Amino acid sequence: MTSRCRLAAVALGCAIALARPARSAEVLKLRSTATLYADEQGVSLSVPQGVGCGGGATFVVADSGRGRVVRFEVSGALAQTKGVVAVPELPYPIRADVDAKGNLVVLDGKSHRIGRVGLDGKFAGWIDVPAADGSGAAVLRSFALDPAGRVYAL
């Protein structure tokens, strides 16, 4: 998560803390204000792994055990579910983030590929990341997005 993010979330238990953007050399203290265990339908999170900030008050959680990404929005001290996305191309999401246009960018833990999901909730294609030696596709475990939408993969 970057300093542009207004939220910090801890994947274990999804404790959410409101914070202002950090400046270099500034100490940022966070406090837990809520714990999230389920979406608005009462379906519990199962093996939540990746948390990504969508800018503003939006964040997403890769709910690996249920094969979905849950979008949350924070208003004051409350966090509410603002949508659930599950597509067959991404059966085991381990990392999720939101690009500048609001699309989901998701790393699947089974295929080790990064996919995009459009605002309509439909799979929008793969982001191809070649192996460093040019021998095919890289086997990915993590990624980050910058404000311009560039993907940095590991």
Side-chain angles (χ1 to χ4, degrees):
M1 288 181 242
T2 65
S3 61
R4 69 181 166 81
C5 191
R6 293 185 60 226
L7 311 169
V10 178
L12 292 175
C14 297
I16 303 159
L18 297 174
R20 67 183 193 287
R23 297 186 186 113
S24 60
E26 178 183 2
V27 175
L28 181 63
K29 293 183 180 181
L30 304 174
R31 75 180 162 83
S32 177
T33 60
T35 302
L36 301 173
Y37 294 106
D39 64 17
E40 77 274 6
Q41 303 298 319
V43 178
S44 65
L45 297 174
S46 175
V47 194
Q49 291 195 51
V51 177
C53 294
T58 301
F59 70 98
V60 292
V61 176
D63 186 9
S64 304
R66 300 228 186 268
R68 65 189 186 157
V69 176
V70 183
R71 187 183 303 253
F72 293 94
E73 190 172 291
V74 174
S75 176
L78 297 174
Q80 295 180 321
T81 307
K82 289 298 179 181
V84 175
V85 174
V87 294
E89 294 86 353
L90 302 163
Y92 195 75
I94 60 172
R95 174 82 174 92
D97 211 337
V98 181
D99 68 15
K101 296 178 183 174
N103 300 304
L104 289 176
V105 180
V106 182
L107 173 61
D108 184 70
K110 293 192 185 229
S111 68
H112 301 285
R113 295 178 74 187
I114 300 172
R116 286 195 190 272
V117 178
L119 293 171
D120 59 1
K122 294 181 181 174
F123 184 74
W126 297 107
I127 298 172
D128 293 321
V129 179
D133 64 3
S135 64
V139 177
L140 305 176
R141 288 297 301 157
S142 188
F143 75 91
L145 296 176
D146 71 9
R150 289 183 291 256
V151 176
Y152 299 88
L154 174 64

